[in-house]
Amino acid sequence: MSKGNPGVSKLLNSMKKLIREVNDKEICNRLEILMGVEREDIPPHLIRALFDDPLGFDADQIPEPFSQYAKHFLYMLKRDQRIQHRERIEKEKRKSARSKTATTSKKASRSRKTSSRPA
């Protein structure tokens, strides 16, 4: 990695942490190649703004040729949040289903005990 592109390096490293699909990896590879040949960098104030409030950041502020990578980074963040949200909901559903099953089996056990008593 080039020392002349600290903003792009930070973006690339953050993107690599969010890779979930082959397409993500390919885009990161392209950014890495571009970083090796491009002398320009993303201005520090824009990198700070991107990482301070990524969901409120307008990727069109990032200069070409890096804006498409910033847009993909924002897409990756949003996708990751959606996935985490779905996983939390599924976990809560499973937990709720387990507790309902446990409650139902306790009630059934109690009713068997009371109905098997001699009169």
Side-chain angles (χ1 to χ4, degrees), residues 91-108:
K91 186 177 179 181
E92 289 171 7
K93 284 181 182 177
R94 286 191 302 270
K95 186 177 179 181
S96 176
R98 280 195 304 263
S99 67
K100 285 180 183 177
T101 304
T103 304
T104 305
S105 62
K106 284 180 185 177
K107 286 180 182 177

Side-chain angles (χ1 to χ4, degrees), residues 57-75:
F57 186 78
D58 178 15
D60 289 328
Q61 295 178 61
I62 302 285
E64 288 298 332
F66 302 114
S67 65
Q68 65 181 332
Y69 300 100
K71 288 176 184 176
H72 191 75
F73 171 66
L74 296 174
Y75 159 77

Side-chain angles (χ1 to χ4, degrees), residues 8-34:
V8 178
S9 283
K10 185 171 183 173
L11 177 62
L12 178 60
N13 290 332
S14 297
M15 288 175 74
K16 284 182 177 181
K17 292 175 186 173
L18 295 170
I19 290 175
R20 287 193 178 258
E21 301 171 356
V22 175
N23 185 44
D24 297 334
K25 185 159 179 53
E26 183 60 34
I27 289 171
C28 288
N29 288 340
R30 285 189 211 153
L31 180 56
E32 198 163 9
I33 291 167
L34 179 63

Side-chain angles (χ1 to χ4, degrees), residues 27-93:
I27 289 171
C28 288
N29 288 340
R30 285 189 211 153
L31 180 56
E32 198 163 9
I33 291 167
L34 179 63
M35 195 172 87
V37 297
E38 182 65 39
R39 290 183 179 192
E40 295 297 316
D41 191 24
I42 301 171
H45 73 280
L46 289 177
I47 285 294
R48 268 191 307 280
L50 173 62
F51 285 98
D52 287 347
D53 183 21
L55 301 178
F57 186 78
D58 178 15
D60 289 328
Q61 295 178 61
I62 302 285
E64 288 298 332
F66 302 114
S67 65
Q68 65 181 332
Y69 300 100
K71 288 176 184 176
H72 191 75
F73 171 66
L74 296 174
Y75 159 77
M76 292 168 81
L77 282 175
K78 290 174 186 175
R79 178 188 62 200
D80 200 55
Q81 283 187 338
R82 281 192 312 269
I83 290 169
Q84 287 177 2
H85 179 70
R86 261 187 256 134
E87 288 172 350
R88 273 193 305 274
I89 289 172
E90 288 300 317
K91 186 177 179 181
E92 289 171 7
K93 284 181 182 177

